[in-house]
């Protein structure tokens, strides 16, 4: 099972406050442990929303809103993509993440092709597999 682990933004991440060398070292060890265990597929931090934009699709023309955005529970500061046997295993790994001070993460399962049932035709399944293979081969 694949999961996206969403690291929630804070006032510090939105202000562009970079992690200390100590935090980067600790996070590096945690990430390396997950890679060696075959759990981590990807993980990155994100720039603050002041460097981003939102696109809202309503009506005939998409609306672009430039950041920054107010710090709310929906802002993301980073993520991991992990692959584990269950949600419980994902939780067990993420409880070990080196955060403190009120940090919050969210764990969400990623859809697998079989989750879409008959709506995912063989042609659509083949297309998705081709796209994933080309991305991995970059």
């Amino acid at each position: 099972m694949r999961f996206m682990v969403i690291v929630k933004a804070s006032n510090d991440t939105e202000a562009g406050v970079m992690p200390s060398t100590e935090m980067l070292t600790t996070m590096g060890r945690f990430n390396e442990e997950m890679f060696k265990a075959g759990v981590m597929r990807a993980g990155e931090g994100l720039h603050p929303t002041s460097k981003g934009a939102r696109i809202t699709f309503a009506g005939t023309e998409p609306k672009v809103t430039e950041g920054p955005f107010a710090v709310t529970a929906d802002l993301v500061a980073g993520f991991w993509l992990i692959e584990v046997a269950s949600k419980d295993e994902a939780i067990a790994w993420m409880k070990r993440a080196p955060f403190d001070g009120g940090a919050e993460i969210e764990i969400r399962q990623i859809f697998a092709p079989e989750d879409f049932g008959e709506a995912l035709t063989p042609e659509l399944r083949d297309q998705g597999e081709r796209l994933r293979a080309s991305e991995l081969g970059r």
Side-chain angles (χ1 to χ4, degrees):
M1 302 172 99
R2 293 180 309 145
F3 291 87
M4 174 176 260
V5 179
I6 301 162
V7 179
K8 300 294 184 133
S10 67
N11 288 328
D12 282 349
T13 62
E14 279 300 291
V17 175
M18 298 303 286
S20 67
T21 300
E22 179 182 357
M23 175 53 119
L24 290 171
T25 301
T26 303
M27 188 63 71
R29 280 194 299 266
F30 179 66
N31 288 344
E32 187 172 7
E33 185 178 352
M34 286 197 299
F35 265 121
K36 286 181 178 178
V39 169
M40 187 172 166
R41 299 293 178 250
E44 304 290 340
L46 302 174
H47 281 270
T49 61
S50 61
K51 295 183 177 185
R54 285 186 177 161
I55 302 174
T56 305
F57 295 89
T60 59
E61 200 62 35
K63 178 184 174 194
V64 176
T65 305
E66 296 286 336
F69 308 117
V71 178
T72 62
D74 68 333
L75 293 184
V76 178
F79 68 93
W80 282 285
L81 293 178
I82 63 172
E83 190 165 347
V84 293
S86 67
K87 182 172 77 172
D88 288 340
E89 185 179 353
I91 291 169
W93 272 103
M94 288 302 117
K95 284 172 67 175
R96 298 171 47 201
F99 291 121
D100 63 8
E104 182 179 356
I105 61 176
E106 179 178 332
I107 300 170
R108 303 272 302 275
Q109 187 173 350
I110 297 170
F111 280 112
E114 56 272 11
D115 295 328
F116 294 99
E118 292 179 14
L120 187 66
T121 65
E123 296 80 18
L124 291 171
R125 183 183 297 266
D126 289 346
Q127 177 188 39
E129 289 173 4
R130 280 193 314 277
L131 289 171
R132 279 188 293 285
S134 67
E135 175 63 23
L136 295 174
R138 278 214 267 167

